[in-house]
Amino acid sequence: MRDFSRKPDSPAENRHPPAIFSVTLVRMVKTLWRPELKRWRVRMVAAFVLTLMAKALAVAAPVFLGEGINLLSDAMPGDNSPPAQGGALRFAALGFVGCILIYGAARFFSNALPQVRDSFFVRVTQNMNRVVAQEAFLHAQKQSLHFHLSRRAGALNRIIERGSGAMEFLLRFLVFNIGPTFVELAMAATVIGILYGPALSVVAVATVLAYTLFTVLITEWRNRLRRAMNEADTELKAVTMDTFTNFETVKAFAAEEREAVRFDGAMRRYMGHFIRSMKSMNLMNIGQEFIMTAGLVGVALTASLAVQQSSMRVGDIMAVILMMTNIYRPLNILGFAWREIKQSSVDVEKLYDLLDEAPSVADVPGAPPLLAKQGAIAFEGVSFAYEGRAPSLSEVSFSIEPGQFVGVVGPSGAGKSTLVKLLFRFYDAEKGRITIDDIDIRTVTQDSLRTALSLVPQDVSLFNDSLRVNVAYGCPGASEDAIRAALEKAQLAAFVDRLPLGLDTVVGERGLKLSGGERQRVGLARAILNDPCILVLDEATSSLDSGTEEEVQHALMAAARGRTTISIAHRLSTIAGADHIIVLDAGKIAETGTHADLITRGGLYARLWQKQRVESEKGMPVMPSPQPVSV
């Protein structure tokens, strides 16, 4: 049964207001300081120290070059000066060589140290990426069924992918670019002010402030454009995955052209946002280049006045120009980094929004595991309604004894599959309670609850992996003998033996390389291998042809023996031999009893039986009553 409570994905799908950037940074620092990343903290500190050393050397290098040029300039005779003594000239030349060597070494290490840092810090960023992505992936898996029905798988995947990647980017640029860049600018301004005059320092600082202010203002505008572009990109990827996932339906209705038009529409929306984003980036680059050029011209003019006043020498001019050039290089990175940080913060916000989404179905604190041994089930006054819909169940009460086989029937929309979803705690009942062996299922862990249950659904969906992996999905540590026994009980062993690769055969996307009956038997083998206390069959044969259904029914009969079984039935002949039959209508129990009792009463069940008897094919198997389990 489908859940129509899903609302279409909105272009933004924003359930939370945009987070303040500083709040995002604080959360990132907390993430970085998590116990899982404790072993990398020494590398974090070492990487930051190397970064600061590289910045200090980048500021010092031009000073040594300028001093070397000054030594040569002072030793060279002027137009009206006497020739310099040979010893003084040789001393100046040696001093120049020494300064050049120091300059070269400082420049080399200022560029080499960041490469050394990156070579060992990459483990930190990749592990942080892994930890955050794994946490988000697990958190999404822990969400309720309603959560996943309300979102597209492609969109959810993009949020995790972009968010974890953006967090890695933010870590690298905040630690190694933004902070150290401001440190370098402060050191450079201080050195210029002390060695070459405060006027040059003022020009340098004013240029930096103007550049930073312009970048921040334009980036805030671009950030809004980026949000719209990201949402268009998410919608585009979701449309793509949605179409590819349902390719059989697309082909069956010859809708390839229609889907291509839908894809083109999503692509056009993304393209429009992308073009606007690129134009805004070009405008920013032009403005930044103008400010940097104006700053360099201002430094040159200020230096020329200082030369006229004899307060600066030739080497000083060279040092200042080179230092300003070095300042502009990290300044340019600052602009890029700030843009990317603000843009990446949008992706990180989305990831944190996902992590902040509290599961609507959650274990109570300290919930114990369910130790189900008998398999008795009771629904006590259970009511439930999907969001935006009429109640699916209203005051439903019934009990199932251990080892009983119980059929649940009723018209479409009567609430049959809702019973299963509530039993598995895919949703929580709004009223009443459900117990297994007199234990309220809301008081135990969901993992233990679902371990005690096994479901064979109408449409068994398999992973694109081997038969072995799919059969043993509920018991990944199962032995080969146990898997073989489950295959035998599911009447699948002969089919597997005929395959060239046997259990290593890959079943394809959602198991579509197998027929419907083969998928059903794989689902049944998976349930049998799990050895549950309670077996749930949710219209497990309704989509099969009569021949295949008969084969699967025999396997279901064998699997149901000795365990409590609930069978949601579409074809009433499959549950005619049940110990007890519950007839639902409009979310309420219309009648209960055995097949013979219900036929005698002439109620809803009798009418459904008569209708199917007229329409059904001959030779349909009748499910006998399994033997009750001894308790």
Side-chain angles (χ1 to χ4, degrees), residues 495-518:
F495 165 74
V496 173
D497 291 340
R498 290 195 300 269
L499 296 173
L501 297 179
L503 281 172
D504 293 324
T505 302
V506 177
V507 302
E509 190 78 20
R510 294 186 295 134
L512 292 179
K513 289 185 178 180
L514 305 180
S515 69
E518 289 160 356

Side-chain angles (χ1 to χ4, degrees), residues 156-206:
L156 191 60
N157 177 65
R158 289 291 289 171
I159 289 174
I160 297 174
E161 181 183 280
R162 280 203 306 245
S164 58
M167 190 168 290
E168 176 193 0
F169 176 87
L170 286 173
L171 171 64
R172 288 190 291 107
F173 271 82
L174 287 174
V175 176
F176 300 141
N177 290 92
I178 294 298
T181 293
F182 280 115
V183 171
E184 180 180 3
L185 293 174
M187 288 190 297
T190 301
V191 170
I192 290 174
I194 294 174
L195 297 182
Y196 310 118
L200 289 173
S201 181
V202 169
V203 173
V205 171

Side-chain angles (χ1 to χ4, degrees), residues 256-328:
E256 290 93 338
E257 293 294 333
R258 190 164 69 249
E259 290 299 324
V261 170
R262 189 162 74 107
F263 174 83
D264 184 62
M267 191 72 183
R268 286 176 181 272
R269 287 189 291 273
Y270 172 74
M271 183 180 67
H273 290 296
F274 180 80
I275 290 173
R276 284 192 288 273
S277 180
M278 290 302 297
K279 286 182 177 180
S280 67
M281 184 177 68
N282 293 334
L283 175 62
M284 173 178 277
N285 289 337
I286 292 173
Q288 290 172 337
E289 189 62 35
F290 174 79
I291 294 174
M292 287 191 296
T293 301
L296 189 60
V297 170
V299 167
L301 292 177
T302 304
S304 66
L305 293 176
V307 170
Q308 292 179 12
Q309 298 171 1
S310 300
S311 60
M312 290 185 66
R313 297 177 292 173
V314 176
D316 297 337
I317 297 176
M318 176 64 71
V320 170
I321 292 176
L322 187 58
M323 197 174 299
M324 289 302 299
T325 303
N326 287 344
I327 287 175
Y328 285 152

Side-chain angles (χ1 to χ4, degrees), residues 62-72 95-96 99 196 313 315-316 319:
V63 176
F64 289 105
L65 178 61
E67 284 302 310
I69 293 175
N70 284 336
L71 287 175
L72 281 183
F96 173 77
C99 287
Y196 310 118
R313 297 177 292 173
D316 297 337

